Structures are given as C-alpha cells and as structure tokens.
Amino acid sequence: MADTATLRIGKISSFDYPKGTAKITYEDKGDSTTAFFSFLAWQYWMPKVGDQVFVAHLSNGTCAATILGPVWHDGHRPPEGFEGLYRKDFNRDYGKAYERYDHNTGTFTLHIGGVAVTINADGSVAIDAKTVTINADDTNINGNLTVQDGSGNVFIGG
C-alpha cells in the first residue's frame, strides 16, 4: 500500500469548541470543506474562522487528519521576535494579555492590560500597576523598604 500522507494548508471554516475540533476549507480544492478534525494541542486556545492552519492528513486519505496549528503569513505575523524569546499571547489583540521570557536577559514578564509583573534574573521583581493590594494574614518584609510618593522618598527600615 502506498503512503498517501499529506501535509496541507487550509483555512478554518467552523468549530466544535467543546470537542476541540474544526472543519477546514481548501481553496485549491474548489473550496471543499472537510469533516471535523482534532487539533494537536496541550492547551486550549483556538484560532478563529478564516485563520490559515497546517493540517496533516493520515495515510488513509483525506478523511482523517490532525490540525497542527496556525501558521505565520503576511496577514498574521508575530508581535515581536528574536532569538531567545518565548512569548505566549492570551488575546488576539497583541499586547492586552501575554507572558514573555527573554532567554538573553533571563527576564520573565506577565502583562495583563496596563499591568506588568517582571521577574529578573538578579532576583528582583518589578510591579508596574496603578494599585497593588496585599491581603494576607501575615506580611513579612525582610530587608529595606523604600516608599516613594509624588512628593519624594520616605525611607523605612534599617
């Protein structure tokens, strides 16, 4: 039996969100639409209808396949990129919610809206937010504490 496995690029045409499957349309095949295929995934984040995806058809023909995931193309490019960057976006509007790790600096940052929490390789943590609230039974600060307001610095600690 000849191996007929095929790798193809198609576009998402519809979803079955609870099952994690989608139908694919192949424009080069007269806009034919497939049955529902599963995604290759370890996390749940679906592309949108019309997104291009890479599909692996199994050796039994075109009736069984796995959607490997979206592909970068002229209409869908990463918001940033360089060697050593890992970035995961949680919103299609890049910049609204994402995490990023820069292997070159050892810096991990979590961005949500206008808030950023950055953990640096030197052990420092920076929180850029309008308000920080700590609700805890006990709060311990070991080391010096500097509180800065709009009128200047107030030093607390030894």
Side-chain angles (χ1 to χ4, degrees):
M1 175 188 265
D3 185 357
T4 59
T6 304
L7 298 175
R8 298 187 50 85
I9 291 180
K11 289 186 177 181
I12 298 288
S13 64
S14 64
F15 288 99
D16 183 335
Y17 287 102
K19 290 184 179 177
T21 61
K23 289 185 176 185
I24 307 300
T25 297
Y26 294 119
E27 293 175 344
D28 64 335
K29 295 263 190 187
D31 288 336
S32 64
T33 301
T34 68
F36 282 101
F37 296 150
S38 293
F39 283 84
L40 177 66
W42 290 270
Q43 53 195 349
Y44 186 88
W45 193 63
M46 302 298 254
K48 61 183 179 180
V49 169
D51 280 357
Q52 286 186 344
V53 290
F54 197 51
V55 182
H57 285 271
L58 305 179
S59 60
N60 62 350
T62 60
C63 63
T66 299
I67 302 166
L68 302 179
V71 294
W72 298 118
H73 55 84
D74 286 340
H76 179 63
R77 292 284 177 215
E80 65 175 327
F82 54 85
E83 185 176 353
L85 174 68
Y86 173 85
R87 178 174 169 141
K88 177 157 181 67
D89 283 83
F90 299 103
N91 192 301
R92 293 188 189 287
D93 295 332
Y94 294 130
K96 285 196 173 185
Y98 64 95
E99 63 183 2
R100 72 188 297 277
Y101 175 72
D102 182 342
H103 175 76
N104 302 309
T105 63
T107 302
F108 174 83
T109 306
L110 177 64
H111 292 261
I112 301 173
V115 176
V117 177
T118 302
I119 303 170
N120 298 299
D122 65 5
S124 63
V125 177
I127 301 172
D128 183 8
K130 291 180 182 179
T131 304
V132 176
T133 302
I134 299 172
N135 294 315
D137 290 339
D138 293 302
T139 303
N140 298 305
I141 298 173
N142 298 317
N144 295 327
L145 174 65
T146 302
V147 178
Q148 182 179 10
D149 62 16
S151 63
N153 291 331
V154 177
F155 182 79
I156 302 170

